[in-house]
Amino acid sequence: MNILMIFPTKLDKNNKPVKYKRALFPPLSLAILNSLTPDRHKVTVVNDLVEEIPFSSNYDLVAITALTNQSLRAYQIAQTFREMGVKVMIGGMHATVLPQEVLQHSDAVVVGEAENIWAKILQDVEMGKLQKLYQDTAPPDLQTLVIPKWNNMNMKIYGQGGKPVVPLFTTRGCPYGCKFCSVTKYFGKTFRLKPISNVLAEIEAAPNNFFFFVDDNITVNPDYCKELFKALKPYNIQWLSQVSTRILKNPELIGLAAHAGCTGLYIGIESINRRSLKSARKDFNNVDDYEELFRQLRGAGIVPMAAIIIGFDEDPLDQFQVTLEFLDKIKAGLALFSILTPLPGTDTYAEMEKEGRILNNDWSLYDMSNVVFEPNGYSPEELRLVYWKCYEKYFSLVNIAIRIFRNVSISKKPVDAFLLSLISQLYSRKKVMTLEHPYSGGSDRIL
Ligand code: B12
Ligand code: SF4
């Protein structure tokens, strides 16, 4: 069969696709589907953020992945192909939380993870018996080796000089249940581990030696993590990932991570207001621990990076000012700010919907840089302005210079650290100056 796999972009306010010259990361979900597809089929993978979609009736199946903010673009693409008589299937985070909505725009919807059901889906397409809904009976146990297939994707559009930062996961799921987060709703509270030998096989087959371990919290299982970090050491790779303050309960993991090539860790601080953390069910994050955590990470040569949410009901409008001072005090190497977004399927969405506070369901705006709910005590516009002001201050040239100096001073490879820090800080500054979240997925927007 001739199969087209698409990672869609989002739509702008005129319903036109937002296009970029380059993309940040290659799509791991499609590399997995690509790998699970037997060689007798021809697979083309397109990243709509940068590449043009080859609309044609020559395909037997168009398989689209979509986060919520990509869903309306996914529907637009689906409609064009369906009008040409091509079967379209949509899977991923949005399809999993809103399968009935997605089914109104596609021939089939896939709920949850694909590893164990993709073969059956392909078989059904071949036999002309595509079903409307596919869902595994249980999440895959991750014991089977699946090496993401990158070699038939256009890697030139990622990173610098065609060397992408390679996404890879070692564990799936998260045992916590923060109110605003899609992850536990998606994976359930299951937490699964990939065999370390499989992780190493993926690393050996990867197109670069710089990785982003996309685990939501890589150190949830300290014993596994210790083994993993020890096993990674001889590979001489560089990697980034995400952790919570719980890592302080096993501080030896910090040193092991550094020896295994970790150069930066994101920490979901979200807020330094304890009342906000409590209402978001994230009070397992102890605000008093951050200074020590960031000190220990820096001491090991790992750049601590912070993820912050702006707009919690308990946060006053000027909370951002206190947060910026705090980030400076704990010497965060980089921070990303997101506007509180009631993602469909989350408890935050359900709660706000009940209170009549959801302002619109234009999913393209659910990208963490738009206000889609009625804030508490100030207007949506005030929140939006404060958000960009916060970014403007954070990425002032003076603040960038201070952070680069700090990040270089802790590194064992100062030249590499300087370049990485310079590129990431200036990249983020450029993005926020054009009113885009640094992680919106692409760079150098084409207008
Ligand atoms: C890495 C990551 C990123 C990276 C890379 C994204 C990329 N281009 O691939 C970066 C940093 C760029 C990023 C950006 C954003 N992200 Co992000 N990101 C993640 C993270 C941590 C891991 C994603 C991942 O690679 N998972 C591993 C792959 C293998 O899993 P998967 O994509 O779900 O695919 C599996 C199944 O879903 C299924 N499947 C998926 N698609 C399809 C399609 C078909 C046809 C089939 C059959 C099956 C199938 O099979 C796959 C294999 O099992 C998740 C959290 C999470 N745990 O998922 C958040 C997450 C996906 N991101 C999220 C968001 C909101 C964003 C942003 C909008 C944030 C922003 N501030 O701008 C942007 C959007 C950028 C874009 N358009 O590319 C939300 C999405 C919520 C939602 N309801 O949509 C998540 C869940 C975080 C959260 N806590 O809520 N992100
Ligand atoms: S925000 Fe982080 S810790 Fe909380 S449920 Fe989501 S992934 Fe887990």
Side-chain angles (χ1 to χ4, degrees):
M1 289 193 295
N2 196 6
I3 303 169
L4 178 63
M5 297 184 183
I6 302 176
F7 185 81
T9 184
K10 64 177 178 183
L11 295 178
D12 67 13
K13 57 180 185 309
N14 300 315
N15 283 335
K16 295 265 177 289
V18 173
K19 291 283 190 179
Y20 300 91
K21 287 190 185 144
R22 308 194 64 73
L24 213 47
F25 298 104
L28 181 54
S29 53
L30 298 186
I32 290 174
L33 293 186
N34 192 6
S35 161
L36 294 170
T37 307
D39 285 344
R40 64 194 163 83
H41 302 297
K42 179 174 184 283
V43 176
T44 308
V45 182
V46 172
N47 187 335
D48 180 40
L49 272 78
V50 177
E51 297 171 301
E52 288 306 313
I53 295 181
F55 287 107
S56 128
S57 58
N58 289 338
Y59 297 101
D60 300 291
L61 176 69
V62 171
I64 309 177
T65 182
L67 301 181
T68 294
N69 76 320
Q70 301 166 301
S71 57
L72 299 185
R73 171 62 176 158
Y75 302 159
Q76 204 180 57
I77 298 167
Q79 187 180 349
T80 309
F81 277 111
R82 292 177 87 199
E83 282 168 4
M84 292 173 168
V86 179
K87 294 280 181 224
V88 177
M89 155 179 302
I90 302 181
M93 198 59 88
H94 192 72
T96 299
V97 292
L98 293 178
Q100 293 311 323
E101 176 193 292
V102 172
L103 255 187
Q104 290 168 26
H105 304 273
S106 62
D107 299 288
V109 62
V110 182
V111 170
E113 296 160 65
E115 279 81 347
N116 291 342
I117 49 176
W118 185 241
K120 158 88 175 120
I121 293 172
L122 290 182
Q123 207 180 44
D124 285 359
V125 181
E126 262 185 315
M127 286 166 34
K129 290 185 178 166
L130 186 67
Q131 296 168 28
K132 279 188 177 313
L133 179 81
Y134 290 91
Q135 180 169 18
D136 205 349
T137 46
D141 64 9
L142 309 185
Q143 298 306 301
T144 311
L145 174 65
V146 181
I147 297 190
K149 186 171 172 185
W150 304 106
N151 62 6
N152 57 348
M153 292 193 196
N154 176 9
M155 285 295 172
K156 292 200 182 79
I157 61 175
Y158 304 103
Q160 300 300 316
K163 285 278 184 190
V165 177
V166 183
L168 195 165
F169 69 88
T170 70
T171 61
R172 257 192 196 169
C174 174
Y176 307 114
C178 306
K179 215 157 87 178
F180 55 82
C181 176
S182 300
V183 169
T184 340
K185 291 285 169 195
Y186 183 72
F187 295 110
K189 281 203 171 178
T190 61
F191 184 73
R192 288 158 285 145
L193 305 168
K194 192 184 271 184
I196 291 172
S197 54
N198 291 7
V199 176
L200 300 179
E202 277 188 51
I203 287 177
E204 281 167 19
N208 196 3
N209 61 357
F210 191 170
F211 294 86
F212 181 13
F213 291 138
V214 298
D215 307 51
D216 293 296
N217 191 344
I218 196 167
T219 56
V220 168
N221 183 324
D223 293 336
Y224 171 83
C225 218
K226 272 179 216 162
E227 291 312 310
L228 174 70
F229 292 169
K230 284 181 195 159
L232 289 179
K233 200 173 169 224
Y235 283 79
N236 208 10
I237 59 168
Q238 185 180 346
W239 56 272
L240 310 170
S241 193
Q242 318 187 90
V243 292
S244 81
T245 51
R246 291 284 175 106
I247 194 177
L248 276 181
K249 291 196 185 309
N250 296 282
E252 72 276 24
L253 286 177
I254 295 175
L256 287 173
H259 283 116
C262 176
T263 51
L265 285 173
Y266 288 95
I267 295 108
I269 290 184
E270 324 300 4
S271 175
I272 53 166
N273 179 345
R274 287 180 181 79
R275 287 191 305 127
S276 302
L277 289 173
K278 192 165 181 359
S279 81
R281 294 199 299 262
K282 193 146 193 176
D283 43 351
F284 59 85
N285 255 358
N286 188 351
V287 179
D288 297 328
D289 287 342
Y290 287 128
E291 196 158 1
E292 178 58 15
L293 172 61
F294 278 45
R295 194 188 63 75
Q296 289 199 27
L297 289 173
R298 290 172 50 77
I302 296 175
V303 175
M305 300 179 283
I308 305 286
I309 293 179
I310 298 203
F312 284 117
D313 280 358
E314 296 74 13
D315 289 349
L317 201 52
D318 59 0
Q319 174 75 26
F320 83 98
Q321 192 60 48
V322 191
T323 308
L324 289 181
E325 284 161 20
F326 180 78
L327 291 170
D328 188 46
K329 182 173 149 218
I330 62 173
K331 299 194 174 75
L334 180 71
L336 294 170
F337 305 90
S338 297
I339 295 177
L340 178 68
T341 302
L343 291 163
T346 61
D347 292 345
T348 298
Y349 187 93
E351 196 175 285
M352 285 190 179
E353 192 181 38
K354 204 164 143 205
E355 294 165 357
R357 294 171 65 194
I358 302 286
L359 294 176
N360 68 59
N361 280 340
D362 174 350
W363 300 134
S364 302
L365 298 178
Y366 281 58
D367 63 354
M368 317 291 205
S369 303
N370 284 288
V371 186
V372 293
F373 70 100
E374 192 66 52
N376 181 28
Y378 35 90
S379 70
E381 184 58 7
E382 280 175 308
L383 178 55
R384 198 183 68 82
L385 291 174
V386 149
Y387 171 72
W388 291 117
K389 183 156 193 62
C390 174
Y391 259 137
E392 190 188 310
K393 285 197 166 192
Y394 190 73
F395 285 111
S396 74
L397 289 174
V398 173
N399 285 335
I400 285 182
I402 293 172
R403 285 195 296 272
I404 293 177
F405 174 74
R406 281 179 184 158
N407 294 348
V408 171
S409 69
I410 60 164
S411 174
K412 293 178 187 73
K413 292 184 180 167
V415 177
D416 291 359
F418 174 75
L419 287 175
L420 187 65
S421 202
L422 184 75
I423 291 169
S424 56
Q425 304 278 342
L426 291 181
Y427 171 85
S428 301
R429 177 181 157 88
K430 197 166 140 192
K431 290 283 291 181
V432 303
M433 281 173 67
T434 53
L435 303 188
E436 279 208 44
H437 191 282
Y439 273 6
S440 66
S443 63
D444 298 322
R445 186 162 168 184
I446 301 169
L447 291 166

